[in-house]
Amino acid sequence: MSVLGIEDLRVSYATRTGRREVVHGVGFEVGEGEVVALVGESGSGKSTTAHALLGLLPEGGRVDGGAVTLGGVDISGWSSKRLQSVRGVQVGLIPQDPAASLDPVRPIGVQVGEILRLHRRSAGGERDRAAVRARVLELLERVGLDDPALRARQYPHELSGGMRQRVLIAIAIALRPRLIIADEPTSALDATVQRRILDLIDDLRREEGTSVLLVTHDLGVAADRAQRIVVLKDGEIVEQGPSDSILSAPSDAYTRQLLADAPALAAEGFRRPAPPLFLRDAAAAAGENPYAILADGLVKEFAVRGAEPFRAVDDVSFQVRRGTTHALVGESGSGKTTTARLVTRFLQPDRGRIELDGSDVAGVRGPALRDLRRRIQLVYQNPFSSLDPRQSVGRIVAEPLHNFREGTRASRRERAAALLDRVALPADVFERSPRELSGGQRQRVAIARALAIDPDVVVLDEAVSALDVTVQARILELLESLQQELGLTYLFISHDLAVVRRLSHTVSVLRRGRVVEAGTTEDIFTSPAHDYTRELLAAVPGRSEVAA
């Protein structure tokens, strides 16, 4: 018997000119104890479909047709108030962003206990309050949080991203629902944390017999965790079936493209970048391609009130040859981004040496620091927050030229237009604002801006981690072509080892502020020497067997 059944579901949103249908006749089932993955890129309708099931569409959203059955009961005509009796009790929801889903001003224990109180599992007496507290601690322990009593008293900002996601899982399973809808539950997490969260959901499924609807853009995650896959594109199902069949013999061109774009699932396996000529001849390397970046013994500490200083970067050293890509990899808190900010001199190192093309830049200030800004540019993780929403795309790209007083207004506009063309954006985006562009288009704008003043080095700080695999693949192709044509040097910051193997030539693996392993990408991936590196590699989605 199916726990969830959907037939001919249609959903629309209000627009200025009327209504626009975004989900077109979607239908599938989720069986007892089964994991079904709803897969597709942003805009495919997967999250809209999942939210429509529970009456959680945003303002302007409306279910226009179709049937939704839960345990054989048709709930498609139910009011939002009546659906409240289903949410949490029969269906638990794990949202994507724990930072946005948890109340920042209330302790974790209060938020977990709220669902118990809302559904009147307890009724107001001292004994009932004690029962709620006991159940809250039990749930926090169940989802793998250490010292539940302490965690219950803490606020969301005091927990890591993985810990906050575990809190959301505790809320979702509090009333032992028959179905969990997990909406991109790990997309914002490092690979190792992602694996632990997905393992936890799997354990709960096996022990409780819970069914799972897993909403994801990552076919690697679907390959690891789902028995069946439903592929959506533009609000329609293009194919669905057992995971083995979808992954081994996809019938639709869109599914084949998703598979080709997923770094860990590509038919040719991990794709390696072609090494520049100098890397093929070690003897000639030093003479022909000196180091673009040399970091030696970098140390950075941050003050902690009432405690010893926190050492975020601890004796980090690495070298990047001109025209190559060096990756800094590791989990959140490993020191990757702090190291990048030291190299770009947005932070001052406490100790250590930084050379850019042989010049020591660790202590430069004033005009010398300003000159450094010309030679090294940053592309950030979130292309929306890093672009000024009040400016047009053309002005954003031309801004570095204006800041460095290069050229005339006309020449700056011409240069910006040429850069937008270089990153494969249509000419009409020049006058548009960032909010009118997709995530991938915004990231192309950020890359164009970084190239405006012809830097020698580009630092890419998780520059593709917020993108769908198809968009990510196009951005990686762009970065590869720009490097080959312009001779750029990249310092690539990432927690995604599948992407790192595709783009980088050399790698440093960081853990707790220290380099635990470094070498060529091929050596690191084929013969990792450190247990931590092996753990990171094992966590790459799409490399394990589909869950039973």
Side-chain angles (χ1 to χ4, degrees), residues 51-56 70 75 77-93 114-121 175 177:
H51 292 167
L53 307 181
L54 293 174
L56 295 176
L70 191 62
I75 63 170
W78 287 16
S79 66
S80 179
K81 184 175 181 179
R82 191 176 180 189
L83 284 171
Q84 288 179 8
S85 65
V86 169
R87 300 173 195 145
V89 180
Q90 297 187 53
V91 184
L93 175 66
E114 183 176 34
I115 191 169
L116 301 172
R117 291 185 289 272
L118 284 175
H119 287 275
R120 303 182 186 280
R121 291 295 173 95
L175 302 178

Side-chain angles (χ1 to χ4, degrees), residues 229-495:
I229 294 175
V230 180
V231 183
L232 267 69
K233 182 179 188 292
D234 298 329
E236 296 182 298
I237 293 176
V238 296
E239 71 177 297
Q240 62 176 303
S243 299
D244 288 342
S245 300
I246 296 291
L247 297 170
S248 61
S251 62
D252 190 85
Y254 176 69
T255 309
R256 290 193 292 272
Q257 186 65 58
L258 285 178
L259 285 167
D261 289 338
L265 290 178
E268 68 271 23
F270 281 113
R271 175 181 166 186
R272 293 181 291 277
L277 290 174
F278 64 83
L279 279 185
R280 302 172 198 169
D281 185 352
E288 295 180 8
N289 287 273
Y291 294 128
I293 303 172
L294 188 149
D296 182 32
L298 295 181
V299 173
K300 184 62 183 178
E301 293 182 338
F302 294 99
V304 179
R305 188 170 61 183
E308 292 293 316
F310 170 66
R311 182 165 288 194
V313 175
D314 189 2
D315 194 27
V316 168
S317 301
F318 61 90
Q319 305 83 35
V320 190
R321 291 204 178 274
R322 187 179 298 159
T324 70
T325 299
H326 183 76
L328 300 179
V329 304
E331 297 176 287
S332 294
S334 62
K336 310 184 298 293
T337 294
T338 302
T339 299
R341 292 180 67 81
L342 293 174
V343 170
T344 54
R345 282 300 319 281
F346 286 105
L347 288 174
Q348 174 72 35
D350 296 322
R351 290 204 301 274
R353 183 163 54 101
I354 303 168
E355 290 186 2
L356 193 66
D357 282 333
S359 301
D360 190 349
V361 298
V364 296
R365 289 177 173 81
L369 182 59
R370 181 174 174 80
D371 181 61
L372 176 65
R373 299 280 186 256
R374 297 179 62 97
R375 301 162 62 192
I376 186 166
Q377 287 286 298
L378 266 163
V379 178
Y380 297 93
Q381 175 177 357
N382 189 331
F384 192 75
S385 63
S386 65
L387 302 180
D388 187 342
R390 299 167 298 180
Q391 294 191 41
S392 68
V393 166
R395 289 189 63 186
I396 288 170
V397 175
E399 186 176 27
L401 298 169
H402 175 78
N403 291 341
F404 283 94
R405 299 190 176 96
E406 290 209 359
T408 63
R409 178 179 295 182
S411 67
R412 290 194 291 265
R413 282 181 61 89
E414 184 177 338
R415 169 71 169 158
L419 284 165
L420 291 173
D421 180 67
R422 183 65 196 81
V423 298
L425 284 171
D428 65 358
V429 307
F430 191 95
E431 299 296 343
R432 292 159 69 181
S433 68
R435 67 174 178 272
E436 297 177 80
L437 306 183
S438 69
Q441 288 176 318
R442 288 194 291 263
Q443 199 61 293
R444 288 174 187 268
V445 172
I447 292 169
R449 179 179 61 182
L451 298 178
I453 51 176
D454 295 318
D456 301 314
V457 176
V458 178
V459 178
L460 301 146
D461 189 1
E462 299 280 10
V464 297
S465 64
L467 305 176
D468 291 342
V469 289
T470 48
V471 180
Q472 180 187 85
R474 303 293 83 78
I475 296 297
L476 293 175
E477 289 167 1
L478 171 64
L479 292 172
E480 288 173 332
S481 67
L482 289 170
Q483 185 173 59
Q484 292 292 324
E485 294 173 25
L486 303 178
L488 294 169
T489 301
Y490 293 145
L491 182 61
F492 189 67
I493 315 301
S494 182
H495 64 262

Side-chain angles (χ1 to χ4, degrees), residues 37-275:
L38 201 55
V39 176
E41 56 190 326
S42 293
S44 62
K46 56 187 188 299
S47 289
T48 294
T49 297
H51 292 167
L53 307 181
L54 293 174
L56 295 176
L57 291 171
E59 185 178 354
R62 186 179 73 193
V63 175
D64 292 327
V68 177
T69 57
L70 191 62
V73 177
D74 188 348
I75 63 170
S76 50
W78 287 16
S79 66
S80 179
K81 184 175 181 179
R82 191 176 180 189
L83 284 171
Q84 288 179 8
S85 65
V86 169
R87 300 173 195 145
V89 180
Q90 297 187 53
V91 184
L93 175 66
I94 305 173
Q96 175 177 353
D97 186 356
S101 302
L102 294 172
D103 189 333
V105 299
R106 292 197 300 163
I108 291 301
V110 172
Q111 298 188 59
V112 176
E114 183 176 34
I115 191 169
L116 301 172
R117 291 185 289 272
L118 284 175
H119 287 275
R120 303 182 186 280
R121 291 295 173 95
S122 306
E126 190 66 32
R127 182 181 303 173
D128 294 312
R129 286 197 292 272
V132 168
R133 175 172 172 77
R135 175 64 174 153
V136 166
L137 298 181
E138 177 189 337
L139 286 164
L140 294 179
E141 183 177 18
R142 180 68 191 85
V143 298
L145 287 173
D146 62 316
D147 198 347
L150 170 64
R151 303 305 176 198
R153 296 193 300 270
Q154 290 181 312
Y155 292 84
H157 73 272
E158 298 179 280
L159 306 184
S160 69
M163 295 169 84
R164 289 194 294 262
Q165 195 62 281
R166 288 173 185 266
V167 172
L168 292 182
I169 294 173
I171 294 170
I173 67 170
L175 302 178
R176 298 184 174 91
R178 298 178 63 192
L179 172 69
I180 290 176
I181 297 176
D183 186 7
E184 299 277 12
T186 60
S187 62
L189 303 177
D190 292 340
T192 48
V193 181
Q194 176 189 71
R195 183 177 185 178
R196 293 178 197 126
I197 294 298
L198 293 173
D199 284 347
L200 171 60
I201 294 173
D202 266 349
D203 290 343
L204 294 168
R205 176 181 64 86
R206 292 190 184 98
E207 294 170 16
E208 304 285 345
T210 309
S211 304
V212 178
L213 178 61
L214 177 62
V215 180
T216 182
H217 67 261
D218 191 337
L219 264 176
V221 170
D224 280 354
R225 306 293 170 168
Q227 287 83 50
R228 288 194 300 116
I229 294 175
V230 180
V231 183
L232 267 69
K233 182 179 188 292
D234 298 329
E236 296 182 298
I237 293 176
V238 296
E239 71 177 297
Q240 62 176 303
S243 299
D244 288 342
S245 300
I246 296 291
L247 297 170
S248 61
S251 62
D252 190 85
Y254 176 69
T255 309
R256 290 193 292 272
Q257 186 65 58
L258 285 178
L259 285 167
D261 289 338
L265 290 178
E268 68 271 23
F270 281 113
R271 175 181 166 186
R272 293 181 291 277

